[in-house]
Amino acid sequence: MSTLRFHAVKESMSRKPIEIQEIEGKRSALFGKKVFNSNALQNFMTKEAYNAIQDAVDHGKKIDRAIADQVASGMKAWAIEVGATHYTHWFQPLTGITAEKHDAFFEPVGPGKAIEKFGGSQLVQQEPDASSFPNGGIRNTFEARGYTAWDPTSPAFVMGTTLCIPTIFVAYTGEALDNKTPLLRALQSIDKSATEVAQYFDKNVKKVIATLGWEQEFFLIDSALAASRPDLTLAGRTLLGHASAKGQQLDDHYFGSIPARAMSYLRDLEMECLQLGIPIKTRHNEVAPNQFEVAPLFEEANLAVDHNSLLMDVMQKVAQRHDFKVLFHEKPFAGINGSGKHNNWSLSTNTGVNLLAPGKTPMSNLQFLTFFINTIMAVYEHADLLRASIATAGNEHRLGANEAPPAIISVFIGNQLTNVLDHLEKVSDGKLTPEEKTDLKLNIVGKIPYVLLDNTDRNRTSPFAFTGNKFEFRAVGSQANCAVPMTVLNTIVSEQLRKFKIEVDALKNKKGMKKDDAIFNVLREYIKKSKKIRFEGDGYGDAWVKEAKKRGLNNIKSAPEALKARVSKETVKLFSDHNVMNKVEIEARHEIELEEYLLRIQIEGRVLGDIATNHVIPTAIKYQNVLIENVRGLKEIFSATEYKKNAAEQLQLISEISNHISNLKSKVNAMIEERKKANVLSNTQKKASAYADHVKPYFDEIRHHSDKLEMLIDDELWPLTKYRELLFTK
Ligand code: ADP
Ligand code: MG
């Protein structure tokens, strides 16, 4: 074993789980302790300021300056009590991760005197001097003219000694420079469209919120082992490594007992999360060794997105205490399950009704079917845009890779609802007969069970599945900022609901149809039209790829190709109509996403070339020299015939090693040539495609020869920590 590898393995094996101060039973008392939630608001704020915040949260009302000063003063008093010394505007630039710039409350006010200062102006708006955040050309980078502005709908929290204030990040010219702003706009749009449709069924509905419950998958790897691999350190995934003899084939990790060290980490993480108001509920092992999942209770979508970003940050911080590195990459290990982030999504009214849950009466079920069918229709109409919302370099390894949702967007709804839709498809054109209505009410719509059976026995291979009372968008990558897919999903459903209302109203007003008849008529057409997006079979099988092709559904595997839908004419119109993003914002994002893609592939290519040339080949030569020495010795001590017999295997090995070395070197050179060609392209779309189509294909070829060498060369010499060590050291 090479020295580095030996020490890494030794270090990781000597680790003991950290004792976590368990406050079991009192977890509810921990919940939200470090959040400026309504409890804290009431204790630290005037009634007037409290009401103003509630109004802002519930009705999007603006908070005026005098009130902002009161809020700031209450927030400061609370934060200092919880241990804060600094404050920061906390935001989500287009890099996908979170950003902070800390300022102290402390301010000198004269010789030898200082106070803790934090006023309305510091709360409401800041200029983070963010000249090097990606902006896709919206703002001249040297100008740094962007500012952050307080988002009162997501409560402030204290992390460590810093008061963090969730904010949006926009250019002075008004364009969004972050992921949160378009999301908030999309949520506003769906609130309006869904409320109008919900009022067909209940006039008391005044507001509809989108709900999101994400499930975060990840790998936990000992930090010494991770640090011993340049690819994990720089690219977040392994670029080389022969499969371990034992992988996940025994299924012995999935839902098994959590190893002690990981358990200690997860406990620690949960305590931190609870204090920060992230309602983590479940934790379990995932399919692959050292792979885990945490999931919270669902929340309002904007808050849920913030909580996921916060969680990912907290996870890395807590991991340091436990000598772990968290791998969020979608595909850290070849041949082993990747990681996703299921986005469970639904719509909920101010009257407390989940619009995607079947109800107990025919009327509430008609409401359910309306939202259910409109969502399917939205996915059908905008499948390519939905696919584009999850297109990244990391997720490209998952989508279509036989063990993950395919790159083909389809919707699974289960047996029972398929039967219901099959019936509704036959509803007569125009006014319904009284008999038909009774039949529908009593036998079809009225019979949808409150709890759906398929819910338990559901299809895990579908990228977009209905799971009883919500849709589950499963194709989202584990590194993703949920704001991106959530912005798209909420916008397309909003658009669909808007169209639905126009069509239903037209039938009512122009044709004099009753409301129910009109709704049934429009839904019938939607069911027919969107039928080909529905798929109940095995999404991982080859048969589906063929079938989807026959149906005319797209199967876009390459991320740069998929991203084209982000800037299509239809997309620009859609986002502009809903005031979610204008053309400049859309194009800027597209540019950033392509740039991020190609930079990641570029980094991977460089790291791979470096490891192959500077680690693998020299090691192979070293071992080959040992063999050559051995063969020379054999020649010396044996007769010619005996030598021939005894040296045969060694000679064979020497030539196999030579063969792999020369292939490795020539493939690396060819890859570098392709990189050079790609780098001179000035069009970002073309450049990203060149990286996808001409650079990336070399990765597997290079890996193939290195992995073969790993199996031929003395384990003592092999420099890279092996898969079995990365995955099975506990
Ligand atoms: P699974 O079997 O996939 O773990 P669960 O029922 O436990 O299914 O739910 C998974 C996630 O779905 C959780 O984060 C949960 O909070 C979320 N979820 C449940 N109901 C809703 C809803 N109405 N809207 C959004 N998310 C929801
Ligand atoms: Mg799930």
Side-chain angles (χ1 to χ4, degrees):
M1 218 186 265
S2 71
T3 331
L4 177 69
R5 187 174 145 220
F6 173 76
H7 283 296
V9 172
K10 196 171 150 209
E11 195 176 330
S12 88
M13 286 178 74
S14 71
R15 311 249 207 236
K16 297 269 174 297
I18 300 182
E19 287 272 330
I20 298 301
Q21 285 275 329
E22 203 29 276
I23 325 179
E24 206 75 68
K26 289 208 193 131
R27 293 195 168 199
S28 57
L30 280 185
F31 188 66
K33 218 175 125 190
K34 296 191 174 167
V35 183
F36 198 50
N37 53 21
S38 61
N39 254 349
L41 272 159
Q42 275 168 333
N43 291 339
F44 283 85
M45 207 100 78
T46 60
K47 188 96 194 118
E48 194 187 9
Y50 178 79
N51 290 339
I53 291 197
Q54 291 307 330
D55 252 6
V57 174
D58 296 338
H59 312 294
K61 287 240 173 77
K62 285 222 154 57
I63 291 174
D64 73 43
R65 266 319 278 279
I67 297 287
D69 276 331
Q70 291 186 33
V71 175
S73 130
M75 203 184 268
K76 181 185 72 180
W78 167 81
I80 288 172
E81 202 172 287
V82 187
T85 54
H86 286 65
Y87 65 92
T88 180
H89 276 197
W90 184 81
F91 59 104
Q92 296 163 41
L94 295 171
T95 44
I97 43 178
T98 57
E100 312 162 5
K101 173 185 168 249
H102 296 193
D103 281 301
F105 290 130
F106 167 87
E107 189 156 302
V109 287
K113 265 186 87 177
I115 57 162
E116 326 289 339
K117 186 168 173 239
F118 179 67
S121 55
Q122 284 93 341
L123 167 66
V124 173
Q125 192 168 313
Q126 280 222 322
E127 195 163 331
D129 182 24
S131 48
S132 52
F133 289 115
N135 58 63
I138 286 178
R139 168 169 78 82
N140 287 330
T141 35
F142 54 85
E143 275 189 322
R145 306 272 297 160
Y147 67 93
T148 52
W150 178 35
D151 166 18
T153 64
S154 180
F157 54 91
V158 169
M159 188 152 62
T161 55
T162 307
L163 167 65
C164 300
I165 301 155
T167 56
I168 56 169
F169 180 34
V170 285
Y172 272 106
T173 43
E175 283 91 7
L177 294 170
D178 67 348
N179 288 311
K180 186 194 261 274
T181 310
L183 174 67
L184 287 171
R185 295 176 186 154
L187 293 173
Q188 239 169 35
S189 170
I190 199 159
D191 174 8
K192 184 159 181 292
S193 316
T195 301
E196 283 177 2
V197 172
Q199 283 181 348
Y200 280 145
F201 307 95
D202 181 359
K203 288 280 175 225
N204 294 319
V205 174
K206 298 287 182 251
K207 188 178 171 69
V208 172
I209 57 163
T211 51
L212 165 64
W214 38 262
E215 301 165 59
Q216 178 73 54
E217 293 180 336
F218 58 97
F219 280 81
L220 264 189
I221 302 293
D222 183 273
S223 55
L225 294 176
S228 73
R229 297 270 317 206
D231 46 2
L232 280 181
T233 308
L234 298 178
R237 74 177 183 104
T238 58
L239 298 164
L240 303 160
H242 195 281
S244 162
K246 176 179 185 281
Q248 63 190 44
Q249 63 270 59
L250 296 178
D251 273 334
D252 49 357
H253 182 70
Y254 194 37
F255 281 93
S257 71
I258 300 177
R261 256 185 88 200
M263 189 57 161
S264 157
Y265 166 73
L266 288 171
R267 275 207 182 127
D268 200 356
L269 176 68
E270 274 172 6
M271 305 285 209
E272 290 286 340
C273 285
L274 289 178
Q275 295 184 63
L276 288 165
I278 308 172
I280 292 294
K281 271 283 275 191
T282 44
R283 55 182 183 206
H284 62 77
N285 292 351
E286 264 303 325
V287 179
N290 283 349
Q291 191 189 26
F292 303 89
E293 176 188 296
V294 290
L297 275 181
F298 68 91
E299 300 174 286
E300 184 278 322
N302 173 44
L303 184 60
V305 169
D306 279 359
H307 277 165
N308 182 247
S309 300
L310 183 56
L311 171 94
M312 290 171 79
D313 191 19
V314 174
M315 278 177 75
Q316 282 306 10
K317 286 189 175 127
V318 175
Q320 280 172 12
R321 294 205 279 269
H322 295 257
D323 297 305
F324 276 129
K325 184 179 166 80
V326 183
L327 305 183
F328 284 119
H329 196 285
E330 283 80 5
K331 193 73 185 168
F333 303 98
I336 288 203
N337 262 52
S339 302
K341 176 149 50 195
H342 297 177
N343 277 206
N344 296 272
W345 171 89
S346 190
L347 294 169
S348 167
T349 67
N350 62 308
T351 53
V353 173
N354 176 354
L355 293 169
L356 286 171
K360 288 188 171 145
T361 62
M363 194 59 173
S364 59
N365 275 341
L366 184 57
Q367 170 174 285
F368 156 68
L369 285 170
T370 296
F371 284 92
F372 176 68
I373 294 165
N374 270 291
T375 305
I376 298 172
M377 187 67 182
V379 174
Y380 165 73
E381 292 279 5
H382 303 279
D384 286 352
L385 183 57
L386 203 57
R387 164 69 185 91
S389 75
I390 48 160
T392 60
N395 215 17
E396 204 177 44
H397 294 281
R398 259 180 93 230
L399 300 180
N402 245 16
E403 50 178 79
I408 309 160
I409 296 289
S410 67
V411 183
F412 168 86
I413 61 172
N415 252 332
Q416 290 171 304
L417 287 167
T418 300
N419 290 339
V420 172
L421 296 203
D422 287 349
H423 258 99
L424 290 182
E425 199 183 325
K426 298 189 200 104
V427 167
S428 54
D429 203 352
K431 283 188 185 158
L432 276 57
T433 62
E435 296 76 39
E436 192 175 9
K437 257 194 187 162
T438 314
D439 179 53
L440 274 177
K441 267 193 192 154
L442 292 182
N443 298 324
I444 312 301
V445 179
K447 283 254 169 78
I448 299 174
Y450 190 56
V451 177
L452 288 157
L453 281 178
D454 302 288
N455 187 18
T456 46
D457 169 40
R458 64 202 188 200
N459 185 330
R460 296 217 157 255
T461 64
S462 174
F464 198 89
F466 185 70
T467 49
N469 54 7
K470 61 190 184 285
F471 278 98
E472 185 167 344
F473 189 15
R474 301 223 184 88
V476 182
S478 46
Q479 297 182 86
N481 182 321
C482 306
V484 181
M486 279 296 114
T487 299
V488 169
L489 182 59
N490 287 292
T491 307
I492 63 177
V493 176
S494 174
E495 165 74 5
Q496 183 51 49
L497 290 169
R498 197 189 263 188
K499 279 192 185 152
F500 172 77
K501 174 130 198 321
I502 293 171
E503 290 180 55
V504 169
D505 287 350
L507 290 183
K508 270 171 47 190
N509 300 336
K510 288 192 200 125
K511 300 221 171 149
M513 267 191 212
K514 283 224 169 95
K515 185 181 70 188
D516 287 6
D517 290 356
I519 291 175
F520 276 122
N521 268 278
V522 177
L523 292 182
R524 181 194 59 233
E525 292 312 305
Y526 287 176
I527 293 169
K528 284 193 207 157
K529 198 166 174 209
S530 64
K531 209 166 182 180
K532 66 177 182 184
I533 199 83
R534 275 161 44 202
F535 179 62
E536 302 288 307
D538 177 9
Y540 293 2
D542 285 338
W544 172 227
V545 176
K546 288 201 193 103
E547 163 71 15
K549 195 165 178 187
K550 243 195 333 211
R551 293 189 190 184
L553 298 178
N554 278 334
N555 181 9
I556 311 170
K557 290 191 175 171
S558 137
E561 197 53 36
L563 285 171
K564 286 183 178 164
R566 296 279 273 167
V567 284
S568 70
K569 261 216 312 271
E570 299 79 43
T571 301
V572 172
K573 178 159 180 352
L574 171 76
F575 281 141
S576 311
D577 284 354
H578 289 263
N579 206 14
V580 171
M581 281 189 269
N582 63 27
K583 193 154 186 264
V584 176
E585 291 170 305
I586 291 167
E587 284 174 352
R589 258 145 246 264
H590 181 238
E591 186 80 9
I592 289 167
E593 283 162 356
L594 288 171
E595 186 87 9
E596 157 130 10
Y597 176 87
L598 74 89
L599 289 175
R600 283 192 188 275
I601 304 295
Q602 187 181 56
I603 292 170
E604 289 186 355
R606 286 177 181 162
V607 174
L608 187 58
D610 166 42
I611 299 178
T613 314
N614 303 316
H615 300 232
V616 176
I617 292 178
T619 308
I621 291 175
K622 214 183 268 171
Y623 182 55
Q624 200 180 34
N625 282 339
V626 172
L627 294 172
I628 291 169
E629 193 61 25
N630 173 264
V631 169
R632 278 211 195 97
L634 292 175
K635 194 163 201 168
E636 232 173 80
I637 60 172
F638 285 118
S639 70
T641 37
E642 276 185 26
Y643 164 74
K644 218 171 167 188
K645 199 177 88 208
N646 289 333
E649 292 299 331
Q650 288 88 322
L651 288 167
Q652 172 64 24
L653 251 178
I654 290 169
S655 91
E656 271 179 50
I657 290 174
S658 283
N659 174 39
H660 289 304
I661 290 176
S662 95
N663 268 306
L664 206 50
K665 190 70 195 129
S666 65
K667 302 281 182 213
V668 169
N669 289 346
M671 172 186 71
I672 293 172
E673 282 314 306
E674 289 300 337
R675 285 213 313 263
K676 283 185 189 156
K677 279 194 231 160
N679 288 343
V680 295
L681 299 171
S682 54
N683 176 302
T684 318
Q685 177 74 57
K686 288 202 174 115
K687 196 167 170 179
S689 292
Y691 267 94
D693 302 336
H694 303 303
V695 177
K696 200 178 156 202
Y698 279 106
F699 293 4
D700 278 346
E701 296 191 40
I702 294 169
R703 175 182 198 132
H704 170 80
H705 293 289
S706 171
D707 289 357
K708 287 281 178 208
L709 284 170
E710 184 179 330
M711 288 293 101
L712 298 177
I713 287 168
D714 185 357
D715 183 72
E716 290 280 321
L717 295 176
W718 193 253
L720 294 163
T721 304
K722 294 189 171 180
Y723 264 34
R724 64 161 186 270
E725 291 149 356
L726 289 169
L727 291 168
F728 291 98
T729 314
K730 297 228 162 78

